[in-house]
Amino acid sequence: MILSKPYDQNRLVEFNPRLANHHLVSDSNQDECGVFHLEGDIPVALYCDSGKLILQLQNKCWDIASPNVKLNYFHDFKLAKTHFSIEGDGQSDSIEYTSWWSELPGSIPLNPEEDKEEDFMAYLLDVWKNERVQKKLIDSWG
Protein backbone atom coordinates (compact mmCIF):
# COMPACT_ATOMS: atom_id res chain seq x y z
CA MET A 1 0.00 0.00 0.00
CA ILE A 2 1.11 3.57 -0.65
CA LEU A 3 1.29 5.95 2.32
CA SER A 4 2.46 9.54 2.50
CA LYS A 5 4.83 10.97 5.10
CA PRO A 6 3.21 14.28 6.11
CA TYR A 7 6.04 15.19 8.48
CA ASP A 8 8.67 14.48 5.81
CA GLN A 9 7.72 16.62 2.79
CA ASN A 10 4.85 14.25 1.90
CA ARG A 11 7.26 11.70 0.50
CA LEU A 12 5.67 8.40 -0.44
CA VAL A 13 6.41 4.98 0.95
CA GLU A 14 5.26 1.56 -0.01
CA PHE A 15 4.24 -0.08 3.26
CA ASN A 16 3.69 -3.77 3.85
CA PRO A 17 1.44 -4.02 6.94
CA ARG A 18 1.98 -7.75 7.36
CA LEU A 19 5.75 -7.33 7.69
CA ALA A 20 5.65 -3.72 8.97
CA ASN A 21 8.36 -2.77 6.49
CA HIS A 22 8.53 0.11 4.08
CA HIS A 23 10.61 1.71 1.38
CA LEU A 24 10.53 5.11 -0.27
CA VAL A 25 9.03 5.39 -3.74
CA SER A 26 9.43 8.34 -6.05
CA ASP A 27 6.15 7.86 -7.87
CA SER A 28 3.22 5.49 -7.75
CA ASN A 29 0.20 4.78 -9.87
CA GLN A 30 -1.64 3.60 -6.73
CA ASP A 31 -3.73 5.96 -4.62
CA GLU A 32 -2.51 6.85 -1.15
CA CYS A 33 -4.50 5.08 1.54
CA GLY A 34 -2.90 6.52 4.67
CA VAL A 35 0.06 8.15 6.36
CA PHE A 36 3.37 6.84 7.67
CA HIS A 37 6.03 7.98 10.12
CA LEU A 38 9.17 6.54 11.64
CA GLU A 39 9.46 7.43 15.30
CA GLY A 40 13.09 6.58 15.84
CA ASP A 41 13.20 3.13 14.28
CA ILE A 42 9.56 2.29 15.02
CA PRO A 43 7.25 2.28 11.99
CA VAL A 44 3.90 3.94 12.65
CA ALA A 45 1.11 3.89 10.07
CA LEU A 46 -2.47 5.11 9.93
CA TYR A 47 -4.41 3.69 7.00
CA CYS A 48 -7.80 2.57 5.81
CA ASP A 49 -8.48 -1.15 5.50
CA SER A 50 -11.93 -2.62 4.81
CA GLY A 51 -13.64 0.61 5.88
CA LYS A 52 -11.76 0.81 9.17
CA LEU A 53 -9.13 3.31 10.22
CA ILE A 54 -6.18 1.22 11.37
CA LEU A 55 -3.33 2.47 13.53
CA GLN A 56 -0.30 0.20 13.30
CA LEU A 57 2.79 0.40 15.54
CA GLN A 58 5.38 -2.10 14.36
CA ASN A 59 3.34 -5.33 13.98
CA LYS A 60 0.41 -4.42 16.25
CA CYS A 61 -2.82 -2.99 14.84
CA TRP A 62 -5.83 -1.23 16.34
CA ASP A 63 -9.10 0.05 14.89
CA ILE A 64 -8.67 3.64 16.04
CA ALA A 65 -12.44 4.21 16.00
CA SER A 66 -13.16 1.30 18.34
CA PRO A 67 -14.64 2.41 21.68
CA ASN A 68 -12.26 -0.08 23.35
CA VAL A 69 -9.13 1.72 22.09
CA LYS A 70 -7.55 4.43 24.25
CA LEU A 71 -4.62 6.69 23.34
CA ASN A 72 -2.48 8.71 25.70
CA TYR A 73 0.05 11.43 24.84
CA PHE A 74 1.99 13.66 27.22
CA HIS A 75 5.30 15.47 27.67
CA ASP A 76 7.76 15.06 30.53
CA PHE A 77 8.96 18.65 30.56
CA LYS A 78 11.94 18.03 32.85
CA LEU A 79 13.36 15.26 30.67
CA ALA A 80 12.13 16.75 27.36
CA LYS A 81 10.56 13.40 26.50
CA THR A 82 7.19 12.63 25.00
CA HIS A 83 5.21 9.52 25.83
CA PHE A 84 2.61 7.97 23.52
CA SER A 85 0.64 4.85 24.37
CA ILE A 86 -2.25 2.90 22.95
CA GLU A 87 -4.27 0.09 24.46
CA GLY A 88 -7.37 -1.85 23.67
CA ASP A 89 -8.71 -4.92 21.97
CA GLY A 90 -6.40 -7.11 24.07
CA GLN A 91 -3.07 -5.44 23.37
CA SER A 92 -1.04 -2.35 24.19
CA ASP A 93 2.12 -0.55 23.16
CA SER A 94 3.97 2.63 24.01
CA ILE A 95 6.73 4.82 22.66
CA GLU A 96 8.90 7.34 24.49
CA TYR A 97 11.01 9.74 22.45
CA THR A 98 12.69 13.13 22.52
CA SER A 99 10.09 15.91 22.43
CA TRP A 100 9.82 17.90 19.22
CA TRP A 101 10.39 21.18 21.07
CA SER A 102 13.51 20.05 22.95
CA GLU A 103 15.97 21.56 20.47
CA LEU A 104 14.27 24.95 20.33
CA PRO A 105 16.16 27.27 22.71
CA GLY A 106 14.17 27.94 25.86
CA SER A 107 11.01 26.39 24.45
CA ILE A 108 8.35 24.62 26.44
CA PRO A 109 5.14 24.22 24.48
CA LEU A 110 2.39 26.17 26.15
CA ASN A 111 -0.03 25.74 23.27
CA PRO A 112 -1.01 22.06 22.98
CA GLU A 113 -2.47 22.72 19.52
CA GLU A 114 1.11 23.12 18.27
CA ASP A 115 1.83 19.47 19.08
CA LYS A 116 -0.26 18.04 16.24
CA GLU A 117 1.46 20.38 13.77
CA GLU A 118 4.93 19.29 14.88
CA ASP A 119 4.55 15.73 16.16
CA PHE A 120 2.99 12.81 14.25
CA MET A 121 1.99 11.03 17.45
CA ALA A 122 0.02 14.11 18.59
CA TYR A 123 -1.67 14.14 15.18
CA LEU A 124 -2.76 10.53 15.83
CA LEU A 125 -4.23 11.56 19.18
CA ASP A 126 -6.13 14.36 17.44
CA VAL A 127 -7.56 11.92 14.87
CA TRP A 128 -8.56 9.49 17.63
CA LYS A 129 -10.46 12.23 19.47
CA ASN A 130 -12.41 13.42 16.43
CA GLU A 131 -15.01 11.16 14.78
CA ARG A 132 -15.58 13.69 12.00
CA VAL A 133 -11.88 13.58 11.05
CA GLN A 134 -11.92 9.77 11.19
CA LYS A 135 -14.85 9.63 8.77
CA LYS A 136 -13.20 12.16 6.47
CA LEU A 137 -10.01 10.08 6.37
CA ILE A 138 -11.92 6.87 5.69
CA ASP A 139 -13.80 8.57 2.85
CA SER A 140 -10.54 9.93 1.45
CA TRP A 141 -8.44 6.77 1.81
CA GLY A 142 -11.10 4.07 1.59
PDB file of all heavy atoms in Angstrom, residues 35-66:
ATOM      1  N   VAL A  35      -1.147   7.394   6.041  1.00  0.00           N
ATOM      2  CA  VAL A  35       0.059   8.151   6.357  1.00  0.00           C
ATOM      3  C   VAL A  35       1.026   7.266   7.133  1.00  0.00           C
ATOM      4  O   VAL A  35       0.629   6.293   7.788  1.00  0.00           O
ATOM      5  CB  VAL A  35      -0.260   9.438   7.142  1.00  0.00           C
ATOM      6  CG1 VAL A  35      -0.982  10.448   6.260  1.00  0.00           C
ATOM      7  CG2 VAL A  35      -1.077   9.156   8.387  1.00  0.00           C
ATOM      8  N   PHE A  36       2.301   7.651   7.076  1.00  0.00           N
ATOM      9  CA  PHE A  36       3.368   6.843   7.667  1.00  0.00           C
ATOM     10  C   PHE A  36       4.376   7.758   8.344  1.00  0.00           C
ATOM     11  O   PHE A  36       4.621   8.882   7.895  1.00  0.00           O
ATOM     12  CB  PHE A  36       4.069   6.032   6.574  1.00  0.00           C
ATOM     13  CG  PHE A  36       5.199   5.188   7.065  1.00  0.00           C
ATOM     14  CD1 PHE A  36       4.953   3.946   7.618  1.00  0.00           C
ATOM     15  CD2 PHE A  36       6.501   5.646   7.002  1.00  0.00           C
ATOM     16  CE1 PHE A  36       5.996   3.158   8.090  1.00  0.00           C
ATOM     17  CE2 PHE A  36       7.550   4.875   7.471  1.00  0.00           C
ATOM     18  CZ  PHE A  36       7.291   3.627   8.020  1.00  0.00           C
ATOM     19  N   HIS A  37       4.981   7.242   9.403  1.00  0.00           N
ATOM     20  CA  HIS A  37       6.025   7.978  10.120  1.00  0.00           C
ATOM     21  C   HIS A  37       6.955   6.973  10.795  1.00  0.00           C
ATOM     22  O   HIS A  37       6.497   5.930  11.265  1.00  0.00           O
ATOM     23  CB  HIS A  37       5.383   8.887  11.174  1.00  0.00           C
ATOM     24  CG  HIS A  37       6.330   9.730  11.934  1.00  0.00           C
ATOM     25  ND1 HIS A  37       6.961  10.820  11.393  1.00  0.00           N
ATOM     26  CD2 HIS A  37       6.771   9.636  13.206  1.00  0.00           C
ATOM     27  CE1 HIS A  37       7.740  11.377  12.299  1.00  0.00           C
ATOM     28  NE2 HIS A  37       7.645  10.670  13.412  1.00  0.00           N
ATOM     29  N   LEU A  38       8.224   7.314  10.821  1.00  0.00           N
ATOM     30  CA  LEU A  38       9.174   6.545  11.636  1.00  0.00           C
ATOM     31  C   LEU A  38       9.450   7.353  12.893  1.00  0.00           C
ATOM     32  O   LEU A  38       9.924   8.486  12.814  1.00  0.00           O
ATOM     33  CB  LEU A  38      10.490   6.335  10.895  1.00  0.00           C
ATOM     34  CG  LEU A  38      10.623   5.116  10.014  1.00  0.00           C
ATOM     35  CD1 LEU A  38      11.989   5.094   9.338  1.00  0.00           C
ATOM     36  CD2 LEU A  38      10.390   3.826  10.774  1.00  0.00           C
ATOM     37  N   GLU A  39       9.124   6.786  14.030  1.00  0.00           N
ATOM     38  CA  GLU A  39       9.463   7.427  15.301  1.00  0.00           C
ATOM     39  C   GLU A  39      10.676   6.695  15.838  1.00  0.00           C
ATOM     40  O   GLU A  39      10.556   5.594  16.362  1.00  0.00           O
ATOM     41  CB  GLU A  39       8.285   7.364  16.277  1.00  0.00           C
ATOM     42  CG  GLU A  39       8.495   8.216  17.497  1.00  0.00           C
ATOM     43  CD  GLU A  39       8.792   9.667  17.138  1.00  0.00           C
ATOM     44  OE1 GLU A  39       7.936  10.347  16.559  1.00  0.00           O
ATOM     45  OE2 GLU A  39       9.918  10.108  17.445  1.00  0.00           O
ATOM     46  N   GLY A  40      11.844   7.298  15.601  1.00  0.00           N
ATOM     47  CA  GLY A  40      13.088   6.580  15.843  1.00  0.00           C
ATOM     48  C   GLY A  40      13.171   5.487  14.802  1.00  0.00           C
ATOM     49  O   GLY A  40      13.160   5.760  13.608  1.00  0.00           O
ATOM     50  N   ASP A  41      13.202   4.239  15.235  1.00  0.00           N
ATOM     51  CA  ASP A  41      13.196   3.126  14.276  1.00  0.00           C
ATOM     52  C   ASP A  41      11.880   2.346  14.305  1.00  0.00           C
ATOM     53  O   ASP A  41      11.786   1.254  13.770  1.00  0.00           O
ATOM     54  CB  ASP A  41      14.386   2.197  14.535  1.00  0.00           C
ATOM     55  CG  ASP A  41      14.365   1.571  15.926  1.00  0.00           C
ATOM     56  OD1 ASP A  41      13.522   1.963  16.757  1.00  0.00           O
ATOM     57  OD2 ASP A  41      15.206   0.695  16.186  1.00  0.00           O
ATOM     58  N   ILE A  42      10.858   2.947  14.901  1.00  0.00           N
ATOM     59  CA  ILE A  42       9.561   2.289  15.016  1.00  0.00           C
ATOM     60  C   ILE A  42       8.626   2.781  13.912  1.00  0.00           C
ATOM     61  O   ILE A  42       8.304   3.968  13.850  1.00  0.00           O
ATOM     62  CB  ILE A  42       8.924   2.555  16.393  1.00  0.00           C
ATOM     63  CG1 ILE A  42       9.828   1.982  17.492  1.00  0.00           C
ATOM     64  CG2 ILE A  42       7.518   1.970  16.473  1.00  0.00           C
ATOM     65  CD1 ILE A  42       9.414   2.353  18.891  1.00  0.00           C
ATOM     66  N   PRO A  43       8.191   1.873  13.028  1.00  0.00           N
ATOM     67  CA  PRO A  43       7.248   2.280  11.987  1.00  0.00           C
ATOM     68  C   PRO A  43       5.846   2.470  12.574  1.00  0.00           C
ATOM     69  O   PRO A  43       5.353   1.633  13.325  1.00  0.00           O
ATOM     70  CB  PRO A  43       7.278   1.108  11.001  1.00  0.00           C
ATOM     71  CG  PRO A  43       7.740  -0.061  11.800  1.00  0.00           C
ATOM     72  CD  PRO A  43       8.596   0.474  12.905  1.00  0.00           C
ATOM     73  N   VAL A  44       5.244   3.607  12.199  1.00  0.00           N
ATOM     74  CA  VAL A  44       3.896   3.941  12.651  1.00  0.00           C
ATOM     75  C   VAL A  44       3.076   4.289  11.412  1.00  0.00           C
ATOM     76  O   VAL A  44       3.494   5.129  10.616  1.00  0.00           O
ATOM     77  CB  VAL A  44       3.911   5.143  13.624  1.00  0.00           C
ATOM     78  CG1 VAL A  44       2.510   5.435  14.128  1.00  0.00           C
ATOM     79  CG2 VAL A  44       4.872   4.903  14.783  1.00  0.00           C
ATOM     80  N   ALA A  45       1.942   3.648  11.247  1.00  0.00           N
ATOM     81  CA  ALA A  45       1.112   3.890  10.073  1.00  0.00           C
ATOM     82  C   ALA A  45      -0.344   4.054  10.489  1.00  0.00           C
ATOM     83  O   ALA A  45      -0.821   3.395  11.418  1.00  0.00           O
ATOM     84  CB  ALA A  45       1.241   2.735   9.084  1.00  0.00           C
ATOM     85  N   LEU A  46      -1.032   4.940   9.788  1.00  0.00           N
ATOM     86  CA  LEU A  46      -2.465   5.108   9.929  1.00  0.00           C
ATOM     87  C   LEU A  46      -3.037   4.963   8.529  1.00  0.00           C
ATOM     88  O   LEU A  46      -2.674   5.720   7.623  1.00  0.00           O
ATOM     89  CB  LEU A  46      -2.793   6.494  10.503  1.00  0.00           C
ATOM     90  CG  LEU A  46      -4.276   6.802  10.712  1.00  0.00           C
ATOM     91  CD1 LEU A  46      -4.869   5.910  11.802  1.00  0.00           C
ATOM     92  CD2 LEU A  46      -4.460   8.274  11.073  1.00  0.00           C
ATOM     93  N   TYR A  47      -3.901   3.966   8.339  1.00  0.00           N
ATOM     94  CA  TYR A  47      -4.409   3.693   6.998  1.00  0.00           C
ATOM     95  C   TYR A  47      -5.812   3.114   7.069  1.00  0.00           C
ATOM     96  O   TYR A  47      -6.280   2.685   8.127  1.00  0.00           O
ATOM     97  CB  TYR A  47      -3.481   2.743   6.240  1.00  0.00           C
ATOM     98  CG  TYR A  47      -3.187   1.433   6.943  1.00  0.00           C
ATOM     99  CD1 TYR A  47      -4.006   0.330   6.768  1.00  0.00           C
ATOM    100  CD2 TYR A  47      -2.078   1.305   7.780  1.00  0.00           C
ATOM    101  CE1 TYR A  47      -3.735  -0.878   7.406  1.00  0.00           C
ATOM    102  CE2 TYR A  47      -1.800   0.108   8.421  1.00  0.00           C
ATOM    103  CZ  TYR A  47      -2.627  -0.976   8.235  1.00  0.00           C
ATOM    104  OH  TYR A  47      -2.362  -2.165   8.871  1.00  0.00           O
ATOM    105  N   CYS A  48      -6.451   3.123   5.929  1.00  0.00           N
ATOM    106  CA  CYS A  48      -7.796   2.570   5.813  1.00  0.00           C
ATOM    107  C   CYS A  48      -7.701   1.148   5.283  1.00  0.00           C
ATOM    108  O   CYS A  48      -6.995   0.884   4.321  1.00  0.00           O
ATOM    109  CB  CYS A  48      -8.621   3.442   4.884  1.00  0.00           C
ATOM    110  SG  CYS A  48     -10.364   3.019   4.906  1.00  0.00           S
ATOM    111  N   ASP A  49      -8.430   0.242   5.944  1.00  0.00           N
ATOM    112  CA  ASP A  49      -8.480  -1.146   5.498  1.00  0.00           C
ATOM    113  C   ASP A  49      -9.890  -1.666   5.756  1.00  0.00           C
ATOM    114  O   ASP A  49     -10.351  -1.659   6.904  1.00  0.00           O
ATOM    115  CB  ASP A  49      -7.449  -1.987   6.248  1.00  0.00           C
ATOM    116  CG  ASP A  49      -7.388  -3.417   5.753  1.00  0.00           C
ATOM    117  OD1 ASP A  49      -7.669  -3.658   4.562  1.00  0.00           O
ATOM    118  OD2 ASP A  49      -7.058  -4.307   6.564  1.00  0.00           O
ATOM    119  N   SER A  50     -10.571  -2.077   4.716  1.00  0.00           N
ATOM    120  CA  SER A  50     -11.931  -2.622   4.814  1.00  0.00           C
ATOM    121  C   SER A  50     -12.875  -1.676   5.548  1.00  0.00           C
ATOM    122  O   SER A  50     -13.670  -2.105   6.393  1.00  0.00           O
ATOM    123  CB  SER A  50     -11.908  -3.987   5.501  1.00  0.00           C
ATOM    124  OG  SER A  50     -11.081  -4.879   4.792  1.00  0.00           O
ATOM    125  N   GLY A  51     -12.759  -0.382   5.269  1.00  0.00           N
ATOM    126  CA  GLY A  51     -13.642   0.608   5.876  1.00  0.00           C
ATOM    127  C   GLY A  51     -13.315   0.974   7.304  1.00  0.00           C
ATOM    128  O   GLY A  51     -14.078   1.678   7.954  1.00  0.00           O
ATOM    129  N   LYS A  52     -12.187   0.487   7.804  1.00  0.00           N
ATOM    130  CA  LYS A  52     -11.759   0.805   9.167  1.00  0.00           C
ATOM    131  C   LYS A  52     -10.483   1.629   9.114  1.00  0.00           C
ATOM    132  O   LYS A  52      -9.647   1.451   8.229  1.00  0.00           O
ATOM    133  CB  LYS A  52     -11.505  -0.469   9.973  1.00  0.00           C
ATOM    134  CG  LYS A  52     -12.740  -1.277  10.229  1.00  0.00           C
ATOM    135  CD  LYS A  52     -12.423  -2.496  11.052  1.00  0.00           C
ATOM    136  CE  LYS A  52     -13.689  -3.322  11.290  1.00  0.00           C
ATOM    137  NZ  LYS A  52     -13.401  -4.512  12.078  1.00  0.00           N
ATOM    138  N   LEU A  53     -10.335   2.504  10.101  1.00  0.00           N
ATOM    139  CA  LEU A  53      -9.126   3.310  10.221  1.00  0.00           C
ATOM    140  C   LEU A  53      -8.181   2.584  11.173  1.00  0.00           C
ATOM    141  O   LEU A  53      -8.453   2.480  12.374  1.00  0.00           O
ATOM    142  CB  LEU A  53      -9.493   4.699  10.747  1.00  0.00           C
ATOM    143  CG  LEU A  53      -8.512   5.808  10.514  1.00  0.00           C
ATOM    144  CD1 LEU A  53      -8.155   5.964   9.041  1.00  0.00           C
ATOM    145  CD2 LEU A  53      -9.066   7.118  11.050  1.00  0.00           C
ATOM    146  N   ILE A  54      -7.108   2.066  10.622  1.00  0.00           N
ATOM    147  CA  ILE A  54      -6.184   1.215  11.370  1.00  0.00           C
ATOM    148  C   ILE A  54      -4.935   2.007  11.768  1.00  0.00           C
ATOM    149  O   ILE A  54      -4.306   2.658  10.925  1.00  0.00           O
ATOM    150  CB  ILE A  54      -5.750  -0.007  10.519  1.00  0.00           C
ATOM    151  CG1 ILE A  54      -6.975  -0.808  10.058  1.00  0.00           C
ATOM    152  CG2 ILE A  54      -4.756  -0.874  11.282  1.00  0.00           C
ATOM    153  CD1 ILE A  54      -7.832  -1.369  11.178  1.00  0.00           C
ATOM    154  N   LEU A  55      -4.588   1.922  13.034  1.00  0.00           N
ATOM    155  CA  LEU A  55      -3.325   2.472  13.534  1.00  0.00           C
ATOM    156  C   LEU A  55      -2.412   1.287  13.788  1.00  0.00           C
ATOM    157  O   LEU A  55      -2.775   0.365  14.528  1.00  0.00           O
ATOM    158  CB  LEU A  55      -3.543   3.266  14.820  1.00  0.00           C
ATOM    159  CG  LEU A  55      -2.286   3.753  15.537  1.00  0.00           C
ATOM    160  CD1 LEU A  55      -1.415   4.599  14.619  1.00  0.00           C
ATOM    161  CD2 LEU A  55      -2.664   4.524  16.786  1.00  0.00           C
ATOM    162  N   GLN A  56      -1.246   1.299  13.153  1.00  0.00           N
ATOM    163  CA  GLN A  56      -0.297   0.205  13.301  1.00  0.00           C
ATOM    164  C   GLN A  56       1.014   0.739  13.855  1.00  0.00           C
ATOM    165  O   GLN A  56       1.613   1.653  13.308  1.00  0.00           O
ATOM    166  CB  GLN A  56      -0.061  -0.482  11.954  1.00  0.00           C
ATOM    167  CG  GLN A  56       0.881  -1.661  12.059  1.00  0.00           C
ATOM    168  CD  GLN A  56       0.912  -2.510  10.803  1.00  0.00           C
ATOM    169  OE1 GLN A  56       0.019  -2.441   9.961  1.00  0.00           O
ATOM    170  NE2 GLN A  56       1.946  -3.328  10.676  1.00  0.00           N
ATOM    171  N   LEU A  57       1.471   0.160  14.971  1.00  0.00           N
ATOM    172  CA  LEU A  57       2.794   0.396  15.540  1.00  0.00           C
ATOM    173  C   LEU A  57       3.543  -0.910  15.417  1.00  0.00           C
ATOM    174  O   LEU A  57       3.100  -1.930  15.971  1.00  0.00           O
ATOM    175  CB  LEU A  57       2.716   0.781  17.018  1.00  0.00           C
ATOM    176  CG  LEU A  57       2.530   2.252  17.345  1.00  0.00           C
ATOM    177  CD1 LEU A  57       1.152   2.721  16.993  1.00  0.00           C
ATOM    178  CD2 LEU A  57       2.835   2.489  18.803  1.00  0.00           C
ATOM    179  N   GLN A  58       4.623  -0.898  14.675  1.00  0.00           N
ATOM    180  CA  GLN A  58       5.377  -2.099  14.363  1.00  0.00           C
ATOM    181  C   GLN A  58       4.418  -3.148  13.804  1.00  0.00           C
ATOM    182  O   GLN A  58       3.840  -2.932  12.758  1.00  0.00           O
ATOM    183  CB  GLN A  58       6.170  -2.569  15.571  1.00  0.00           C
ATOM    184  CG  GLN A  58       7.161  -1.504  16.032  1.00  0.00           C
ATOM    185  CD  GLN A  58       8.026  -1.944  17.160  1.00  0.00           C
ATOM    186  OE1 GLN A  58       9.014  -2.609  16.922  1.00  0.00           O
ATOM    187  NE2 GLN A  58       7.682  -1.552  18.364  1.00  0.00           N
ATOM    188  N   ASN A  59       4.220  -4.273  14.492  1.00  0.00           N
ATOM    189  CA  ASN A  59       3.338  -5.329  13.979  1.00  0.00           C
ATOM    190  C   ASN A  59       1.980  -5.388  14.669  1.00  0.00           C
ATOM    191  O   ASN A  59       1.201  -6.299  14.411  1.00  0.00           O
ATOM    192  CB  ASN A  59       4.025  -6.696  14.118  1.00  0.00           C
ATOM    193  CG  ASN A  59       5.165  -6.841  13.150  1.00  0.00           C
ATOM    194  OD1 ASN A  59       5.071  -6.418  12.010  1.00  0.00           O
ATOM    195  ND2 ASN A  59       6.268  -7.426  13.596  1.00  0.00           N
ATOM    196  N   LYS A  60       1.693  -4.425  15.544  1.00  0.00           N
ATOM    197  CA  LYS A  60       0.412  -4.420  16.251  1.00  0.00           C
ATOM    198  C   LYS A  60      -0.537  -3.428  15.593  1.00  0.00           C
ATOM    199  O   LYS A  60      -0.132  -2.326  15.227  1.00  0.00           O
ATOM    200  CB  LYS A  60       0.610  -4.034  17.713  1.00  0.00           C
ATOM    201  CG  LYS A  60       1.424  -5.038  18.502  1.00  0.00           C
ATOM    202  CD  LYS A  60       1.579  -4.567  19.936  1.00  0.00           C
ATOM    203  CE  LYS A  60       2.458  -5.491  20.736  1.00  0.00           C
ATOM    204  NZ  LYS A  60       2.704  -4.947  22.091  1.00  0.00           N
ATOM    205  N   CYS A  61      -1.811  -3.827  15.500  1.00  0.00           N
ATOM    206  CA  CYS A  61      -2.818  -2.992  14.839  1.00  0.00           C
ATOM    207  C   CYS A  61      -4.028  -2.786  15.737  1.00  0.00           C
ATOM    208  O   CYS A  61      -4.433  -3.695  16.467  1.00  0.00           O
ATOM    209  CB  CYS A  61      -3.288  -3.655  13.549  1.00  0.00           C
ATOM    210  SG  CYS A  61      -2.009  -3.841  12.306  1.00  0.00           S
ATOM    211  N   TRP A  62      -4.608  -1.574  15.633  1.00  0.00           N
ATOM    212  CA  TRP A  62      -5.831  -1.229  16.340  1.00  0.00           C
ATOM    213  C   TRP A  62      -6.784  -0.517  15.387  1.00  0.00           C
ATOM    214  O   TRP A  62      -6.343   0.269  14.550  1.00  0.00           O
ATOM    215  CB  TRP A  62      -5.550  -0.268  17.499  1.00  0.00           C
ATOM    216  CG  TRP A  62      -4.747  -0.838  18.598  1.00  0.00           C
ATOM    217  CD1 TRP A  62      -5.216  -1.383  19.765  1.00  0.00           C
ATOM    218  CD2 TRP A  62      -3.314  -0.898  18.691  1.00  0.00           C
ATOM    219  NE1 TRP A  62      -4.160  -1.780  20.555  1.00  0.00           N
ATOM    220  CE2 TRP A  62      -2.979  -1.497  19.915  1.00  0.00           C
ATOM    221  CE3 TRP A  62      -2.276  -0.513  17.844  1.00  0.00           C
ATOM    222  CZ2 TRP A  62      -1.674  -1.708  20.325  1.00  0.00           C
ATOM    223  CZ3 TRP A  62      -0.970  -0.733  18.239  1.00  0.00           C
ATOM    224  CH2 TRP A  62      -0.683  -1.327  19.470  1.00  0.00           C
ATOM    225  N   ASP A  63      -8.070  -0.750  15.558  1.00  0.00           N
ATOM    226  CA  ASP A  63      -9.096   0.045  14.892  1.00  0.00           C
ATOM    227  C   ASP A  63      -9.254   1.298  15.744  1.00  0.00           C
ATOM    228  O   ASP A  63      -9.809   1.255  16.840  1.00  0.00           O
ATOM    229  CB  ASP A  63     -10.401  -0.745  14.815  1.00  0.00           C
ATOM    230  CG  ASP A  63     -11.558   0.058  14.252  1.00  0.00           C
ATOM    231  OD1 ASP A  63     -11.381   1.252  13.917  1.00  0.00           O
ATOM    232  OD2 ASP A  63     -12.655  -0.516  14.156  1.00  0.00           O
ATOM    233  N   ILE A  64      -8.738   2.418  15.235  1.00  0.00           N
ATOM    234  CA  ILE A  64      -8.671   3.643  16.036  1.00  0.00           C
ATOM    235  C   ILE A  64     -10.055   4.165  16.422  1.00  0.00           C
ATOM    236  O   ILE A  64     -10.198   4.910  17.384  1.00  0.00           O
ATOM    237  CB  ILE A  64      -7.823   4.709  15.306  1.00  0.00           C
ATOM    238  CG1 ILE A  64      -7.311   5.757  16.279  1.00  0.00           C
ATOM    239  CG2 ILE A  64      -8.576   5.330  14.172  1.00  0.00           C
ATOM    240  CD1 ILE A  64      -6.288   6.696  15.690  1.00  0.00           C
ATOM    241  N   ALA A  65     -11.087   3.759  15.700  1.00  0.00           N
ATOM    242  CA  ALA A  65     -12.445   4.213  15.999  1.00  0.00           C
ATOM    243  C   ALA A  65     -13.159   3.317  17.008  1.00  0.00           C
ATOM    244  O   ALA A  65     -14.257   3.639  17.452  1.00  0.00           O
ATOM    245  CB  ALA A  65     -13.266   4.291  14.715  1.00  0.00           C
ATOM    246  N   SER A  66     -12.540   2.216  17.383  1.00  0.00           N
ATOM    247  CA  SER A  66     -13.159   1.302  18.339  1.00  0.00           C
ATOM    248  C   SER A  66     -13.311   1.982  19.696  1.00  0.00           C
ATOM    249  O   SER A  66     -12.371   2.613  20.185  1.00  0.00           O
ATOM    250  CB  SER A  66     -12.301   0.045  18.492  1.00  0.00           C
ATOM    251  OG  SER A  66     -12.735  -0.721  19.604  1.00  0.00           O
TER     252      SER A  66
END
